[in-house]
Amino acid sequence: KAGVTQTPRYLIKTRGQQVTLSCSPISGHRSVSWYQQTPGQGLQFLFEYFSETQRNKGNFPGRFSGRQFSNSRSEMNVSTLELGDSALYLCASSPGQVNTGELFFGEGSRLTVL
Amino acid sequence: AQSVTQLGSHVSVSEGALVLLRCNYSSSVPPYLFWYVQYPNQGLQLLLKYTSAATLVKGINGFEAEFKKSETSFHLTKPSAHMSDAAEYFCAVSDREAGGGNKLTFGTGTQLKVEL
């Protein structure tokens, strides 16, 4: 069974640009969560989607958005990039509706903002 | 808000020695607790989880953790460290909300170094 796939793995953008990151969950998983990992702030929850609906949202500005498609694949978008958005963005999938906290993580998309 | 505190950002042990990574939680009700491991340039992998079924939880790779409500702790241990255990370890907590999703709050992580 294929794991969580994130694309692209690495990308470089400049301030003011926008970026879209993609995540394909494990087959059959309906929940997709996104986390930001930085040396200074650690791992922070961005949002979670289940059956195309945002179920939870972290404390990030509106520049950070996401969506989930009918096949459970998810994208997150960051607009008007700032230097502080440089981070590893991790996607995680989970099988079902119940809050198990058992997440299966992808290897991440490493974003560098210059 | 729920939170976890990991004591010691870096821990160094000798191969074959006991591994002890500390985690304390802050929650008004018993939460779900987790330990995740992250190897270099990889995502996180679940080691073990506590969901109230048993206070001593066994995970993968020989790790285990004990939930102690009186101490609000969930420390991770392994009797004998192996070189392959070198990684960063994260303690995490989530709300016990029914159908509340998978929002985890992570600790700041502990980098484990294993020396020969």
Side-chain angles (χ1 to χ4, degrees):
Chain A
K1 206 173 193 181
V4 177
T5 303
Q6 292 189 244
T7 57
R9 289 291 314 280
Y10 303 90
L11 67 166
I12 300 173
K13 294 285 188 179
T14 57
R15 280 181 299 173
Q17 288 186 312
Q18 66 97 24
V19 66
T20 299
L21 308 177
S22 179
C23 173
S24 293
I26 292 172
S27 178
H29 286 193
R30 296 167 63 193
S31 166
V32 174
S33 305
W34 289 88
Y35 288 81
Q36 181 196 65
Q37 185 176 24
T38 61
Q41 299 297 317
L43 280 154
Q44 294 186 287
F45 173 79
L46 280 157
F47 27 66
E48 181 200 9
Y49 288 87
F50 178 80
S51 292
E52 302 180 65
T53 301
Q54 188 178 85
R55 183 157 69 173
N56 268 307
K57 188 177 189 302
N59 296 322
F60 278 81
R63 300 185 298 106
F64 292 81
S65 63
R67 59 178 175 169
Q68 186 180 34
F69 302 96
S70 58
N71 61 358
S72 294
R73 190 177 70 85
S74 177
E75 289 181 347
M76 67 163 284
N77 183 277
V78 188
S79 62
T80 319
L81 284 166
E82 301 176 358
L83 294 179
D85 297 333
S86 294
L88 181 66
Y89 290 90
L90 291 164
C91 169
S93 73
S94 180
Q97 186 172 0
V98 178
N99 176 17
T100 66
E102 183 170 355
L103 304 181
F104 296 81
F105 283 84
E107 293 185 319
S109 292
R110 185 167 295 281
L111 170 65
T112 300
V113 182
L114 302 177
Chain B
Q2 299 194 352
S3 65
V4 289
T5 301
Q6 292 184 241
L7 296 175
S9 58
H10 292 81
V11 170
S12 183
V13 300
S14 300
E15 191 174 35
L18 171 72
V19 175
L20 171 60
L21 304 182
R22 301 178 186 274
C23 174
N24 288 88
Y25 68 90
S26 171
S27 174
S28 57
V29 296
Y32 290 148
L33 291 162
F34 310 84
W35 277 98
Y36 280 83
V37 61
Q38 185 176 32
Y39 297 100
N41 299 315
Q42 294 188 24
L44 281 73
Q45 179 183 11
L46 179 67
L47 274 177
L48 50 80
K49 63 180 180 181
Y50 166 76
T51 56
S52 80
T55 56
L56 182 62
V57 182
K58 294 188 183 298
I60 62 172
N61 302 337
F63 284 93
E64 62 182 38
E66 186 173 7
F67 174 77
K68 291 187 177 181
K69 184 178 178 180
S70 61
E71 299 177 7
T72 61
S73 69
F74 190 58
H75 301 332
L76 181 71
T77 60
K78 182 175 180 178
S80 177
H82 191 272
M83 295 296 289
S84 61
D85 295 327
E88 189 157 22
Y89 293 79
F90 294 91
C91 182
V93 63
S94 75
D95 286 330
R96 281 180 172 269
E97 299 175 53
N102 292 305
K103 177 181 179 181
L104 296 184
T105 300
F106 285 89
T108 51
T110 297
Q111 187 72 46
L112 176 65
K113 182 179 180 181
V114 182
E115 300 175 318
L116 287 171

